[in-house]
């Protein structure tokens, strides 16, 4: 158990809808990262937050947004969903903000858009 | 760019040794991670190399050559449970993953 909690585990929704994925980092970790993994694809970096502030951005679509709250949990919002958004969404956390410490991954949220 | 290249698939026999290579563009490099990921599960941390050389951790070892933009993960005494994807990740100001190498271990 990595100590990172993601909810829900599975999400099935229709095109055009909006969903929110939630992540609670490991105790003591200030950084939260979001990654997208499509079928047979690598982990695509979306965005990183450190202690409530956005720290780094990857290829995150404008339809996607995220935030980290004062209690350090994070939410990833996906709107105007398309079939291609179906993927595993992983949250990871680490101690610092420079990626020098290993990332600890949650078990992911499997999103299916129909 | 951040191009990270790994072989897509490899196969090996139980008890054997396998080496998984990873090459990357050296710009902005801070270190290199290796993760293991079983299908449908979360990636788990294996190793982190910052300096050149070999880091050994039980049956797994990882090597780094910063000047060559090259790393490898060495798995010894392969077990069936080692069948998984192995992800190489370059640390810049963010952690960028390669597409992974799917390793199948046969009896």
């Amino acid at each position: 158990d990595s100590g990172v909690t993601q909810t829900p585990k599975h999400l099935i929704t229709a095109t055009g809808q909006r969903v929110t994925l939630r992540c609670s980092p490991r105790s003591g970790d200030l950084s939260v990262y979001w990654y997208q993994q499509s079928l047979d694809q690598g982990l695509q970096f979306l965005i990183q937050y450190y202690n409530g502030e956005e720290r780094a951005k990857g290829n995150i679509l404008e339809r996607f947004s995220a935030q980290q709250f004062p209690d350090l949990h994070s939410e990833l919002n996906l709107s105007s969903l398309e079939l291609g958004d179906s993927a595993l969404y992983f949250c990871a956390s680490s101690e610092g903000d420079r990626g020098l410490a290993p990332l600890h991954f949650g078990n992911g949220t499997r999103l299916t858009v129909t | 760019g951040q191009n990270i290249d790994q072989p897509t698939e490899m196969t090996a026999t139980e008890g054997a040794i396998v080496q998984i290579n990873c090459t990357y563009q050296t710009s902005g490099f801070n270190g290199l991670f290796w993760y293991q990921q079983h299908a449908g599960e979360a990636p788990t941390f294996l190793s982190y190399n910052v300096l050149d050389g070999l880091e050994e951790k039980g049956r797994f070892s990882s090597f780094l050559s910063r000047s060559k933009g090259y790393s490898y993960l060495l798995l010894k005494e392969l077990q069936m449970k080692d069948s998984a994807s192995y992800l190489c990740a370059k640390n810049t100001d963010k952690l960028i993953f390669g597409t992974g190498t799917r390793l199948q271990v046969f009896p």
Side-chain angles (χ1 to χ4, degrees), chain A residues 34-78:
Chain A
W34 286 98
Y35 285 85
Q36 179 193 56
Q37 188 173 42
S38 302
L39 195 63
D40 294 330
Q41 297 292 311
L43 285 162
Q44 300 296 315
F45 171 70
L46 295 178
I47 198 162
Q48 178 204 354
Y49 281 83
Y50 175 76
N51 204 20
E53 300 289 327
E54 182 183 304
R55 186 54 60 103
K57 217 167 187 176
N59 296 325
I60 187 167
L61 299 171
E62 284 192 14
R63 300 184 287 110
F64 295 2
S65 65
Q67 54 184 330
Q68 186 180 27
F69 294 88
D71 68 351
L72 300 178
H73 92 271
S74 177
E75 291 181 356
L76 178 67
N77 300 297
L78 314 176

Side-chain angles (χ1 to χ4, degrees), chain B residues 2-3 15 19 22 26 33 36 49 65 79 83-84 100 102 104:
Chain B
Q2 310 283 9
N3 285 0
Q19 178 175 310
C22 171
T26 57
F33 285 91
Q36 179 192 60
N49 293 69
S65 169
Q79 302 174 9
S83 293
R102 186 178 302 173
Q104 292 187 69

Side-chain angles (χ1 to χ4, degrees), chain A residues 35 37 40-43 45 48 56-58 88 90 97-103 105-107 110, chain B residues 30 33 35 37 40-45 48 50 87 91-100 102:
Chain A
Y35 285 85
Q37 188 173 42
D40 294 330
Q41 297 292 311
L43 285 162
F45 171 70
Q48 178 204 354
K57 217 167 187 176
L88 254 179
F90 285 106
D97 65 330
R98 299 297 296 165
L100 299 178
L103 267 59
F105 284 82
N107 288 327
R110 184 174 294 280
Chain B
N30 289 328
F33 285 91
Y35 282 80
Q37 185 180 25
E41 297 183 10
T44 55
F45 168 75
Y48 182 43
V50 178
L87 311 176
N91 184 22
T92 58
D93 59 343
K94 49 202 175 207
L95 196 58
I96 304 299
F97 283 82
T99 53
R102 186 178 302 173

Side-chain angles (χ1 to χ4, degrees), chain B residues 8-43:
Chain B
T8 304
E9 288 194 8
M10 298 182 71
T11 59
T13 307
E14 202 173 10
I17 299 173
V18 71
Q19 178 175 310
I20 302 173
N21 296 325
C22 171
T23 58
Y24 58 89
Q25 294 197 2
T26 57
S27 59
F29 177 81
N30 289 328
L32 196 108
F33 285 91
W34 283 96
Y35 282 80
Q36 179 192 60
Q37 185 180 25
H38 286 96
E41 297 183 10

Side-chain angles (χ1 to χ4, degrees), chain B residues 28-101:
Chain B
F29 177 81
N30 289 328
L32 196 108
F33 285 91
W34 283 96
Y35 282 80
Q36 179 192 60
Q37 185 180 25
H38 286 96
E41 297 183 10
T44 55
F45 168 75
L46 291 178
S47 68
Y48 182 43
N49 293 69
V50 178
L51 302 176
D52 288 354
L54 188 68
E55 298 264 350
E56 298 189 69
K57 203 186 278 188
R59 293 190 300 114
F60 293 3
S61 303
S62 57
F63 171 83
L64 178 68
S65 169
R66 289 175 299 172
S67 61
K68 294 182 181 177
Y70 168 68
S71 174
Y72 67 72
L73 181 69
L74 192 71
L75 292 76
K76 303 176 190 173
E77 301 168 18
L78 280 172
Q79 302 174 9
M80 298 296 291
K81 67 178 182 180
D82 297 330
S83 293
S85 288
Y86 291 86
L87 311 176
C88 166
K90 171 183 167 183
N91 184 22
T92 58
D93 59 343
K94 49 202 175 207
L95 196 58
I96 304 299
F97 283 82
T99 53
T101 298

